[in-house]
Amino acid sequence: MGSAGVGRQVGMVVLFTVAVYINHAVALQVTSSGPQTTKKAQGDAVTLSCTYSESPSDTGQLDVEWSMVSPDMTQKDKLVLSYSGGKEYKLGSPDLMNRLKFVGDPSRGDASISITSLRVSETATYQCKVKKPPGIDSRKITLIVLAPPSVPRCWVENGEVIGSSVSLRCKSAEGSIPLNYKWTRDSGSMPTTATQYAQTGELLISNHSQSYTGGYTCEVSNEVGKEQCKYTLNAYNPTNRAGVIAGAVIGALLLLLLLLLLIWLLICCCQKRRYEKEAANEIKEDAAAPESRPGSRHSSFRSVTGYRTHHGIVYNSVRNAQPNRTESARSNIYTDPRQLSPQANSPDSAYKPPLNYDSRYGYPV
């Protein structure tokens, strides 16, 4: 009895295990296989695979969701695309939605999506979740969008003088890190004194010589692309530094002499102008005053003494005949005998007073 009971219990456990396994095997599950991480270049297109299979027990409504998983566990994932009730819903940014779509028919086991013209900012972990109650399954794919390197610029530093150290430089302005630089010589082997720095893009050549001249190519690359530039290396004899210094000193002295000459000429010009001005003033002082005309002497005398003429009065010169002069308290009275008429000298005629000479005007009034 004991052994028979133990056998029955073992059989029941086996049957239960088989039933669980069969039920799990036929339940809804995402069947896509492939790398969990995909790297693409900026501007390329990518397809994120998400195929699934159903079981007869999955009788609920099909619901497919694509979301961008937040790196912060405390934040919610960002839902970008869904399929529910036979309809498609775009929930992401308009720019992304214009480039994202389902590849196949989500209702027939293919919920894969494609994204065209990828951006570096769209680097993220995308999750595909398929639900058809009671079945549910999901898959995560990490997409890394890298920018290929831009065309680099090649140049030389420290000159190309024979016997000195020459530094060939190469730099790409754009591109996702890490960027790897590599210099090669177009013809012949690399100089024995050359040292490469793959991270900075420098090729350092010590003790430069004529045999190191020629074309060199720099190639920059990362995981999604590569570009290159070329440079032709020359070799020049060192310049005579003593001659350069002597030439600079002589040039400076000549410039100083020229400056002093200009200052001396300016001083001489100023002195010449001042002498000419002083000579002109001396000539004006030594020149004789012009002789005045006889007719203008009386008018000049009147203008100097400041007397005024009166309309209707005849003025005679006192030079020809001196009038009689009598003193009064206010002014001097002058009488010209020639001016008196015979009637004035006769006793029967009415007496007319003589004219008074006013010193303010300089003539009789």
Side-chain angles (χ1 to χ4, degrees):
M1 286 289 296
S3 59
V6 171
R8 253 192 317 271
Q9 291 179 357
V10 172
M12 291 177 65
V13 171
V14 171
L15 290 174
F16 179 77
T17 303
V18 171
V20 171
Y21 174 76
I22 293 175
N23 183 57
H24 178 74
V26 297
L28 185 149
Q29 62 178 350
V30 176
T31 58
S32 294
S33 61
Q36 297 296 315
T37 301
T38 301
K39 294 182 178 181
K40 289 290 183 178
Q42 180 176 259
D44 288 353
V46 66
T47 297
L48 303 181
S49 178
C50 182
T51 57
Y52 65 93
S53 61
E54 305 177 17
S55 71
S57 61
D58 299 327
T59 57
Q61 178 177 294
L62 177 65
D63 189 7
V64 178
E65 294 179 351
W66 275 97
S67 58
M68 299 174 67
V69 179
S70 174
D72 187 355
M73 300 300 295
T74 62
Q75 301 294 326
K76 293 183 179 180
D77 297 342
K78 183 179 180 181
L79 186 62
V80 294
L81 183 65
S82 70
Y83 180 88
S84 179
K87 294 183 179 181
E88 180 181 326
Y89 300 93
K90 294 185 176 183
L91 307 172
S93 64
D95 178 63
L96 177 60
M97 292 303 97
N98 291 333
R99 298 177 286 111
L100 186 149
K101 65 179 182 178
F102 283 111
V103 175
D105 187 354
S107 62
R108 295 187 177 183
D110 188 2
S112 303
I113 61 172
S114 68
I115 307 175
T116 59
S117 301
L118 288 169
R119 311 280 192 272
V120 175
S121 59
E122 292 163 0
T123 296
T125 297
Y126 293 81
Q127 177 177 260
C128 172
K129 183 185 290 186
V130 182
K131 296 184 292 183
K132 192 171 185 182
I136 181 173
D137 198 7
S138 63
R139 180 177 186 241
K140 292 181 179 180
I141 305 173
T142 300
L143 173 64
I144 300 175
V145 183
L146 301 174
S150 60
V151 176
R153 183 174 71 93
C154 293
W155 75 98
V156 66
E157 289 184 353
N158 302 332
E160 300 169 85
V161 179
I162 295 176
S164 64
S165 295
V166 177
S167 177
L168 288 174
R169 306 301 298 266
C170 178
K171 185 67 176 179
S172 181
E174 298 178 358
S176 299
I177 57 175
L179 294 175
N180 184 67
Y181 296 90
K182 183 179 180 181
W183 281 94
T184 56
R185 194 174 182 182
D186 296 345
S187 60
S189 59
M190 292 289 287
T192 56
T193 60
T195 303
Q196 289 207 53
Y197 299 92
Q199 302 303 319
T200 62
E202 180 184 11
L203 176 66
L204 182 62
I205 301 177
S206 302
N207 194 19
H208 184 41
S209 68
Q210 188 69 38
S211 61
Y212 297 158
T213 59
Y216 289 79
T217 300
C218 172
E219 182 180 89
V220 56
S221 62
N222 61 7
E223 295 182 77
V224 294
K226 60 183 179 180
E227 291 289 348
Q228 66 179 19
C229 63
K230 294 179 177 293
Y231 186 84
T232 301
L233 183 63
N234 299 308
Y236 303 104
N237 293 322
T239 57
N240 187 354
R241 295 186 177 181
V244 172
I245 295 174
V249 172
I250 293 174
L253 291 176
L254 291 176
L255 182 61
L256 180 60
L257 290 175
L258 179 61
L259 182 61
L260 293 175
L261 178 61
L262 290 176
I263 294 174
W264 179 76
L265 291 175
L266 182 61
I267 294 174
C268 290
C269 182
C270 292
Q271 289 180 349
K272 181 179 179 182
R273 289 183 178 180
R274 187 172 63 179
Y275 173 77
E276 291 176 351
K277 186 176 181 181
E278 292 177 353
N281 292 335
E282 291 178 358
I283 292 173
K284 289 181 180 180
E285 292 176 358
D286 295 340
E291 184 177 356
S292 61
R293 293 176 297 176
S296 63
R297 291 178 181 175
H298 304 294
S299 60
S300 299
F301 175 76
R302 286 195 295 268
S303 63
V304 171
T305 56
Y307 58 75
R308 298 183 294 274
T309 62
H310 292 269
H311 180 72
I313 298 176
V314 179
Y315 301 94
N316 294 323
S317 174
V318 297
R319 179 179 56 182
N320 297 327
Q322 197 63 262
N324 296 328
R325 176 176 180 182
T326 61
E327 297 292 335
S328 67
R330 184 176 176 206
S331 62
N332 297 329
I333 301 174
Y334 296 89
T335 304
D336 190 355
R338 293 174 301 175
Q339 298 289 333
L340 298 177
S341 62
Q343 291 80 6
N345 294 327
S346 65
D348 296 334
S349 64
Y351 174 74
K352 294 181 180 180
L355 296 175
N356 296 328
Y357 177 81
D358 195 336
S359 61
R360 291 176 301 172
Y361 303 108
Y363 53 84
V365 295

